[in-house]
Amino acid sequence: MKLPKKVRMVEVGPRDGLQNEAASVPAATKIALIERLAGAGLKTIEAGSFVSPKWIPQMADTGEVLARLKRVAGVRYPVLVPNMKGFEAALAAGCDEIAIFAAASESFSQRNTNCSIAESLARFAPVAEAAREKNIRVRGYVSTVIDCPYEGPIAPEAVAKVAARLFALGSYEISLGDTIGTGTPGRVLTMIETVAKEIPVDRLAGHYHDTYGQALANILASLELGVATFDSSVAGLGGCPYAPGATGNVASEDVVYLLNGLGIETGIDLAKLAEAGRFISAALGREPQSKVARALAAKGAK
Ligand code: HMG
Ligand code: MG
């Protein structure tokens, strides 16, 4: 097995995780979580989103989070923006990176952003242009790269087409979202191989939700194709409000444990990461979803 020597982990818990919580988490708790994640060695931490507060009220305080956060040199704090209004708010809050997000399925695009795929890409063109002018990095997301909760299986060619458009707009990387976590390694491999005909594999990231417990297997399969960036959520926080039944992203602790075992460098301190996961899980009043975090806690309690 020829695997990358290093992997870059993108922590999405404070955004993808907390956007899906019924209870709203105070800005101070979000900030304390993000600071703990930076302390654990994460270099890219999604801090929130500048979307409509009517659609996602949980992210309405992202401006306050960015403003009050003690930023660590060398750490980037991307935020999702759906349109120019979001971009302007992100800029005013001093963002250093944005993420634009489209879907490979028309129905998901409508439910998530109230517009067609083509309209969403048209909205992102001026955002990407404005970001370039301001020297702000742009990351691109494609959702429903395997299945759509409303349409079922999605053709890999449809994923490649949207990914290529986001890449052409200037995204430095395209994160491939298995939004509802139904993917298994064979389908994930075919999807990545198809997208890699349009975009170099070192510009692709895996963003796998763990609804069916397949995310680690999908990460291993992706590593074998040379993908070396993965998104994950501490304590397995997350889901998507417009993807009923989808659970959280793969837990960051579980990914780090897998990569440590394979001898792949991440720069992340697993004990500190697990502590950050316990911190946010306690704030939410539940146990971490990460199996590794639970095993470490059980071992520590002996
Ligand atoms: P819309 O209602 O069609 O927007 O929503 P509109 O342009 O018609 O405006 C309606 C109102 O919203 C107006 O206010 C606007 O000012 C306001 P009013 O005049 O009624 O008072 N508005 C905004 N307010 C704040 N910030 C903004 C903004 N834009 C408009 N940026 C829109 C369209 C795209 C805005 C909406 O559908 C939306 O915010 N969608 C975001 C949904 C979302 O955040 N989903 C989760 C993130 S994606 C995800 O989780 C998937 C991912 O993890 C990958 C994977 O797993 O697949 C990334
Ligand atoms: Mg997601």
Side-chain angles (χ1 to χ4, degrees):
M1 224 175 7
K2 196 175 171 304
L3 301 175
K5 286 191 168 55
K6 273 189 189 177
V7 153
R8 184 169 81 92
M9 292 194 48
V10 175
E11 172 60 46
V12 297
R15 193 277 306 170
D16 205 339
L18 298 184
Q19 77 181 7
N20 204 37
E21 288 300 326
S24 93
V25 174
T29 307
K30 293 178 179 176
I31 292 167
L33 171 63
I34 295 169
E35 291 179 356
R36 278 172 168 78
L37 291 165
L42 281 146
K43 299 285 182 225
T44 312
I45 307 169
E46 254 182 18
S49 59
F50 287 91
V51 298
S52 162
K54 285 189 191 133
W55 289 61
I56 311 278
Q58 296 90 333
M59 293 288 115
D61 58 2
T62 299
E64 186 186 346
V65 171
L66 276 190
R68 288 175 42 203
L69 189 64
K70 273 193 227 82
R71 300 193 198 189
V72 175
V75 178
R76 299 203 303 262
Y77 303 92
V79 288
L80 262 61
V81 301
N83 51 22
M84 277 308 287
K85 187 176 169 93
F87 178 71
E88 277 151 20
L91 199 61
C95 78
D96 54 14
E97 176 170 325
I98 60 164
I100 54 179
F101 54 104
S105 132
E106 283 294 350
S107 326
F108 189 81
S109 180
Q110 287 290 351
R111 301 279 183 118
N112 196 40
T113 50
N114 206 21
C115 64
S116 67
I117 298 170
E119 283 164 343
S120 76
L121 293 166
R123 277 180 195 169
F124 289 134
V127 172
E129 180 61 36
R132 191 169 27 248
E133 276 167 20
K134 301 282 180 192
N135 263 330
I136 289 175
R137 291 163 68 99
V138 179
R139 189 169 199 248
Y141 272 112
V142 184
S143 283
T144 59
V145 300
I146 300 291
D147 289 315
C148 166
Y150 312 106
E151 282 179 29
I154 297 298
E157 291 71 21
V159 180
K161 198 171 149 194
V162 177
R165 296 285 302 278
L166 289 173
F167 196 61
L169 284 179
S171 306
Y172 72 89
E173 178 172 277
I174 301 296
S175 176
L176 298 164
D178 180 7
T179 314
I180 54 172
T182 50
T184 44
R187 294 182 69 198
V188 169
L189 282 183
T190 306
M191 182 275 296
I192 292 175
E193 279 168 350
T194 309
V195 176
K197 288 180 191 155
E198 305 284 339
I199 300 170
V201 84
D202 65 357
R203 301 299 189 92
L204 298 179
H207 176 106
Y208 306 139
H209 286 260
D210 202 25
T211 318
Y212 286 79
Q214 303 297 304
L216 286 180
N218 293 334
I219 287 176
L220 184 58
S222 309
L223 283 167
E224 287 186 48
L225 283 184
V227 176
T229 303
F230 295 97
D231 302 356
S232 60
S233 278
V234 69
L237 300 172
C240 177
Y242 297 100
T247 62
N249 295 87
V250 64
S252 308
E253 299 91 318
D254 297 1
V255 180
V256 171
Y257 183 85
L258 169 73
L259 297 174
N260 283 350
L262 290 168
I264 296 174
E265 219 179 287
T266 62
I268 293 167
D269 180 322
L270 180 55
K272 287 186 181 168
L273 179 63
E275 199 284 314
R278 282 194 298 277
F279 165 79
I280 190 62
S281 300
L284 293 168
R286 60 165 185 254
E287 288 296 307
Q289 294 300 304
S290 157
K291 286 198 170 174
V292 167
R294 289 179 184 210
L296 292 176
K299 208 166 136 193
K302 273 188 192 157

